[in-house]
Amino acid sequence: MSSLSSPSGAPTSLSQLCRSKDNSFGPYAGDCRGGFDFTLLFEETILFILPLAVLILIAPFRLYYLLKKQIKVVSSSLLYSKHVSFALFTVLQLVVLILSARSTTLKTKATVAAVVIGFIGALIQWLVSYVEHVRSVRPSDLLNTYLFISLLLDVARARTFWLRRDVHAIAAVFTTGVCFKAINLLLEATEKRSNLKASYKAYPPEATSSIFSRFFFSWQWPLFRKGFSSTLVVDDLFTLDKHLSSENLYGLFRSAWKQAIRVESSPSLFSMTFRILKWPVVSAVFPRLALTAFMYCQPFLIDTAVSLSLTPVDGATMNQGYGLIGASILVYVGIAVSPSSVLQNALADE
């Protein structure tokens, strides 16, 4: 084991320095774990607690909204599979909590808070999954978004645990939990049209599709296949989502205009239109901002890639190359996907 000198002059091993570094925010872990990793405190607070805290804050409002709706599905194997998978995932989070609490090496200022919130978050995910399944016609956008983002972040955390070399038990349990999170994501992204009650089976495909299907427009693939092999007619087109029907919009505008006339002598059509369509308008803002950010990252990514290509190959540059591969995938997939979310006009939640 290599040794370095501490500020006091006493020899300090690299392992001890890495433990001290992991208890700082970082985010760069320095020479620890090959010089290509985040500090443990940064991963616990930003990569884990932050996205889970957002889910925990949003979940009560979503549950409150859904619990006022009717049950829309019949009992199915998909629901039982979700129960089993989320139950095992919750148990694994409890095991991680116990192992982390007993560990003397894997401890930062946020470790206890992170594992406790992780266990509570697993219970909330299980509850949200059940309520979303039985009271919504489409897979949960909230859970799918969280599970997808957190799964990517958890891969980085699992890598850190295995590189630590002194917490193999926690690394094994945590990695198993990541695998079950991937299973949860697959189950949550599965559409449930075949399990809907008869009164909801007439919903158009877009209204029952997952967030991934809407982003990549895969719900239109059956229509594309049919159009490729034959000439499409009007009857081949999907039913228009009720939120986009002229009858529904006319009813909304008519009632809002009547109410505005009673309150104001000369109501503003612009302000009334924005009040009625505020959520579709606001929902287009964030994808546009994301697209701007991804486009802005492009020249920096290219400049870094060119600079790296002129650098001699060693362990550090290899790690930087792997990081650039991941960054390139993130940027260019983001550029492709961000505009599609702006085009999503159907917000069917009933």
Side-chain angles (χ1 to χ4, degrees), residues 244-262:
L244 300 178
S245 67
S246 57
E247 182 180 358
N248 179 68
L249 293 174
Y250 172 75
L252 291 175
F253 275 92
R254 182 179 181 182
S255 59
W257 187 256
K258 286 183 176 180
Q259 184 179 1
I261 291 177
R262 287 195 295 266

Side-chain angles (χ1 to χ4, degrees), residues 194-213:
S194 60
N195 301 324
L196 293 175
K197 291 184 176 180
S199 56
Y200 302 103
K201 284 186 176 293
Y203 275 43
E206 186 179 8
T208 60
S209 60
S210 68
I211 187 172
F212 305 112
S213 179

